[in-house]
């Protein structure tokens, strides 16, 4: 086994499914179909698949072929297996990608960089959005507090005016009653 193979990165089902934009269950179905047609995935101790860059390219090819309505998934699997065959060493070493070029590797690395950049941009956008929401919430709270203070001040002012009017009405009523009483007694006693 060469040093290059020993350092080959392996990806798990959830990582590959996320990269392809499909569900884990869909990826498993695709893998089973490819295996039925002779494709060999590297498997771990618990029989879980570990995907190499070569496997990801094969799955992308399968995905593209599957999108064409004229190509069945079974036919797509046959085409992919023919194009992306793997050789298994006599010593039981993991499969070696046979169809991997520098251009494909560069594409994969660029794609990963693009995804990292996109993820960072999304993280920054989310942070900015949270900050905006915090500012908006603070603005709303301050506006409500100002409105409540203005309403309370207006309410107190109206309450004072009403009390003044009641006091004036009461004084006026008392003055009228006093005048009526005085008028009554003045008529009675002639004073």
């Amino acid at each position: 086994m060469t040093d290059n193979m020993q350092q080959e990165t392996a990806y798990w089902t959830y990582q590959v499914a996320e990269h392809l934009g499909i569900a884990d269950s869909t990826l498993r179905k695709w893998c089973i179909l490819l295996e039925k047609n002779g494709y060999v995935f590297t498997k771990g101790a618990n029989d879980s698949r570990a995907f190499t860059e070569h496997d990801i390219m094969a799955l992308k090819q399968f995905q593209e072929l599957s999108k064409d309505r004229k190509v069945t998934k079974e036919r797509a699997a046959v085409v992919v297996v023919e194009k992306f065959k793997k050789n298994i060493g006599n010593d039981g070493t993991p499969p070696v990608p046979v169809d991997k070029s520098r251009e494909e590797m560069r594409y994969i690395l660029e794609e990963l960089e693009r995804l990292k950049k996109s993820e960072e941009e999304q993280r920054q956008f989310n942070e900015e959005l949270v900050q905006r929401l915090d500012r908006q919430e603070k603005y709303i709270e301050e506006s409500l507090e100002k409105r409540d203070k203005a309403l309370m001040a207006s309410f107190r002012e109206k309450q004072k005016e009403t009390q003044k009017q009641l006091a004036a009405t009461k004084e006026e009523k008392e003055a009228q009653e006093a005048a009526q009483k005085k008028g009554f007694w003045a008529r009675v006693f002639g004073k």
Side-chain angles (χ1 to χ4, degrees), residues 5-178:
M5 281 183 49
Q6 290 175 347
Q7 295 176 359
E8 191 170 7
T9 304
Y11 301 94
W12 300 111
T13 300
Y14 75 94
Q15 293 170 311
V16 175
E18 185 176 300
H19 179 70
L20 294 173
I22 59 174
D24 291 5
S25 59
T26 302
L27 177 60
R28 286 187 197 95
K29 289 175 188 175
W30 290 3
C31 292
I32 291 168
L33 188 56
L34 289 170
E35 288 170 338
K36 283 181 182 177
N37 286 281
Y39 194 90
V40 179
F41 290 99
T42 304
K43 294 198 176 182
N46 61 353
D47 215 25
S48 60
R49 292 176 188 89
F51 298 91
T52 63
E53 297 291 341
H54 182 76
D55 297 329
I56 294 171
M57 288 188 306
L59 288 162
K60 280 184 181 179
Q61 179 73 45
F62 181 83
Q63 186 176 37
E64 287 302 313
L65 288 170
S66 297
K67 286 180 184 176
D68 185 352
R69 293 178 190 253
K70 296 176 186 174
V71 179
T72 65
K73 289 195 180 348
E74 290 73 19
R75 179 68 186 135
V78 170
V79 170
V80 168
V81 170
E82 282 297 314
K83 184 176 179 183
F84 291 89
K85 286 181 183 174
K86 290 184 176 185
N87 298 323
I88 299 177
N90 293 337
D91 60 353
T93 58
V96 179
V98 294
D99 223 12
K100 194 182 289 187
S101 68
R102 288 178 191 240
E103 190 174 316
E104 289 171 330
M105 286 298 290
R106 189 176 306 120
Y107 169 77
I108 291 170
L109 291 173
E110 287 172 359
E111 186 68 16
L112 287 173
E113 279 301 312
R114 187 189 65 75
L115 289 172
K116 284 166 94 177
K117 183 179 177 183
S118 177
E119 181 182 352
E120 179 60 25
E121 289 171 353
Q122 185 65 47
R123 186 189 62 75
Q124 288 176 353
F125 174 79
N126 290 346
E127 286 178 4
E128 289 173 11
L129 190 58
V130 167
Q131 290 173 355
R132 285 184 199 168
L133 288 172
D134 287 344
R135 286 192 302 267
Q136 186 177 21
E137 183 179 356
K138 184 178 178 181
Y139 172 78
I140 289 170
E141 286 175 2
E142 289 172 353
S143 296
L144 288 174
E145 190 174 319
K146 286 178 185 177
R147 184 204 65 182
D148 290 349
K149 286 180 181 179
L151 285 172
M152 287 304 292
S154 175
F155 176 75
R156 287 186 188 112
E157 189 64 33
K158 293 286 183 192
Q159 193 176 26
K160 285 179 186 177
E161 287 177 26
T162 303
Q163 287 174 347
K164 285 179 184 178
Q165 288 175 348
L166 287 174
T169 304
K170 185 178 179 183
E171 286 177 13
E172 190 178 302
K173 189 176 180 181
E174 288 173 355
Q176 286 176 352
E177 286 175 1

